Amino acid sequence: MVDKIRALFVVGARPQFIKSAPVIREIIENHRGIKLIVVHSGQHYDPEMSEIFFRELQIPRPSLNLHTGSGSHATQTSAIMKRLEPTILRFKPQFVIVPGDTNTTLAAAVTAAKLEIPVAHIEAGLRSGDIHMPEEINRRLTDHCSTLAFAPTKTAVANLNSEGLRDRTYLTGDTMVDAMETVLPYVQRRQGAVLEQFQLNSLRYVLVTLHRPSNVDDPTRLRAIRAALHRLGKRIRVIFLVHPRTLERLRRLREMRQVHAGIILASPQGYVETLSLIRNAACVITDSGGIQKESFMLHVPCITLRTSTEWPETLRNHANRLVTNPKTIPSKVLQVALDEDLRSQIRRLKNPFGDGRASVRVARILERALRNLN
Ligand code: UD1
């Protein structure tokens, strides 16, 4: 009997659970020759940032949790590396798989590469061009440490080519499309209850999520954003899903009470609930990469509070707009939220993120590469 080939899949932060779930499921169901060991770095640890996604996406709990938790970039990244190295030595995988662009991604890629274990990067080749973004550093370094780079879009392929990484690059499509398609029937069933829970009417509210250091770590900017949301809240219902980092920064500013006036503050929601809230929103305000894309795929106009995006495809036909000055948020949002034509234009746009079979391609290429190593 041939020994199973071993692959270690390292996840740790909320978006990674979502984009990894279809690949994990595909490997478990259709690639039985691969023994998959899922390791959780512990970067995200609150139940609503971690546990809930394993349940909703119906994937097995990780075999191991390194419980590294929060800290500065160096503290967090090095803690993951230190705890992961003995884990890799113990399991002796033939491949280490890393999704996305978080500190967990970078830590796992560097640790594996230095142990001369090949690295497969899911969602490779994204570039915002903004090196001040921690994720941009993580993406670039991870791609250059990888043996296999799974690109979600043609733009990502072009980025990898331009950095001399053509030989390792595969255009697979985006595994988040696969994840979203799997849960859409549940969204269809749950969305009414979700809207009722928050007393919202479809197309009559704006959904907000913000967590990037560039928006929430600077008290002056955070105050300006809070004031803008407060003004917007006088014109249209606003629901703000508050990420733990943002909650902590607002508490530090003692701004919770002011934020509360006019807008609904809620804790981070599960995947089905979040998609339900995006799908029915008149407009989304965010700084998350994943939510820009989910809004695009659900045909909802998006305002992104950033100077750049790693998903330039979403900017087509103004489906997504980059806004930097918080003062202009209310006018920009009201302009797009009430624009029926814009919505129908977005509906007609082709989905550039793939056909929902990215995870099938990723698993197939991975198995072939693993067999060639043996
Ligand atoms: C991380 C990723 C980011 C991703 C985001 C999704 C990096 C550099 N950033 O940012 O790319 O978009 O996850 O959410 O890896 N906290 C909790 N409970 C938790 C997790 C975090 O309270 O379960 C708090 C802690 O105060 C922590 C802060 O949130 O210090 C930030 O968490 P961290 O994992 O460092 O970065 P995120 O902002 O979540």
Side-chain angles (χ1 to χ4, degrees):
M1 202 184 105
V2 189
D3 268 356
K4 277 199 174 193
I5 39 189
R6 285 179 308 282
L8 201 82
F9 205 126
V10 189
V11 291
R14 180 171 62 174
Q16 293 181 301
F17 310 133
I18 299 169
K19 59 191 75 161
S20 303
V23 184
I24 293 174
R25 234 185 350 252
E26 174 65 19
I27 294 178
I28 293 175
E29 286 170 10
N30 296 322
H31 294 266
R32 305 241 159 117
I34 301 179
K35 180 174 168 46
L36 193 65
I37 305 139
V38 180
V39 175
H40 191 318
S41 70
Q43 177 170 349
H44 284 175
Y45 41 87
D46 288 351
E48 72 265 26
M49 297 293 287
S50 176
E51 171 65 24
I52 187 168
F53 296 97
F54 289 88
R55 217 171 40 236
E56 280 189 315
L57 293 157
Q58 294 166 23
I59 43 168
R61 302 284 178 285
S63 316
L64 199 74
N65 191 320
L66 304 176
H67 295 291
T68 43
S70 305
S72 69
H73 286 284
T75 305
Q76 189 174 58
T77 311
S78 60
I80 299 170
M81 290 177 74
K82 269 194 198 154
R83 291 180 195 192
L84 190 61
E85 187 179 55
T87 309
I88 295 180
L89 291 171
R90 176 175 145 214
F91 288 109
K92 299 188 178 57
Q94 276 107 328
F95 243 100
V96 170
I97 309 166
V98 296
D101 55 14
T102 69
N103 286 344
T104 297
T105 315
L106 175 66
V110 173
T111 308
K114 295 240 172 159
L115 290 171
E116 295 190 45
I117 315 275
V119 173
H121 185 203
I122 297 173
E123 207 184 69
L126 299 192
R127 299 290 181 267
S128 68
D130 178 3
I131 202 66
H132 300 293
M133 234 183 129
E135 291 78 7
E136 183 76 358
I137 300 170
N138 295 345
R139 288 176 198 129
R140 286 174 191 237
L141 298 178
T142 302
D143 285 338
H144 284 260
C145 285
S146 299
T147 305
L148 296 176
F150 295 124
T153 60
K154 289 181 183 161
T155 318
V157 170
N159 292 335
L160 291 162
N161 287 350
S162 73
E163 291 175 28
L165 307 180
R166 186 188 295 267
D167 57 337
R168 68 189 71 175
T169 299
Y170 295 85
L171 176 61
T172 55
D174 187 343
T175 63
M176 274 184 87
V177 176
D178 311 16
M180 198 165 104
E181 285 188 356
T182 314
V183 302
L184 274 181
Y186 301 98
V187 172
Q188 190 70 31
R189 263 178 265 149
R190 272 280 292 152
Q191 59 189 357
V194 174
L195 294 189
E196 202 175 302
Q197 179 194 344
F198 294 109
Q199 298 184 327
L200 295 167
N201 292 320
S202 188
L203 303 180
R204 296 274 182 278
Y205 66 91
V206 173
L207 173 71
V208 184
T209 84
L210 296 170
H211 73 283
R212 297 252 163 244
S214 57
N215 280 323
V216 305
D217 283 5
D218 171 11
T220 312
R221 183 161 175 88
L222 186 55
R223 270 203 190 95
I225 293 173
R226 178 200 61 73
L229 293 180
H230 181 51
R231 282 204 315 282
L232 181 65
K234 291 183 178 160
R235 303 286 305 278
I236 187 165
R237 296 273 278 169
V238 175
I239 175 163
F240 187 175
L241 304 183
V242 187
H243 181 282
R245 170 194 281 279
T246 312
L247 183 65
E248 200 262 331
R249 299 299 188 266
L250 287 167
R251 281 199 175 127
R252 232 189 255 177
L253 287 182
R254 300 180 202 278
E255 299 268 314
M256 289 304 288
R257 200 168 45 78
Q258 290 96 318
V259 169
H260 215 295
I263 70 178
I264 306 166
L265 288 184
S267 40
Q269 298 293 301
Y271 189 40
V272 172
E273 288 72 18
T274 305
L275 289 180
S276 300
L277 289 167
I278 296 174
R279 192 189 208 185
N280 288 283
C283 174
V284 167
I285 304 175
T286 193
D287 57 12
S288 144
I291 290 180
Q292 288 174 57
K293 214 170 36 183
E294 284 158 353
S295 303
F296 185 93
M297 291 192 282
L298 293 170
H299 317 298
V300 177
C302 183
I303 297 285
T304 297
L305 290 194
R306 282 173 45 187
T307 53
S308 61
T309 177
E310 60 283 5
W311 297 106
E313 298 83 359
T314 59
L315 301 175
R316 282 183 197 163
N317 284 41
H318 302 295
N320 181 21
R321 292 168 206 228
L322 301 177
V323 169
T324 45
N325 182 355
K327 278 198 184 131
T328 63
I329 295 174
S331 60
K332 293 255 164 68
V333 168
L334 291 169
Q335 192 190 334
V336 301
L338 307 171
D339 188 343
E340 287 291 335
D341 284 349
L342 176 65
R343 210 168 248 274
S344 42
Q345 273 173 38
I346 299 176
R347 201 163 285 125
R348 284 198 297 272
L349 289 173
K350 210 170 148 264
N351 177 0
F353 303 112
D355 58 1
R357 293 181 56 78
S359 43
V360 172
R361 291 187 196 97
V362 166
R364 209 178 281 151
I365 298 164
L366 205 55
E367 170 139 21
R368 205 187 314 135
L370 283 162
R371 297 246 168 255
N372 286 342
L373 283 176
N374 280 350

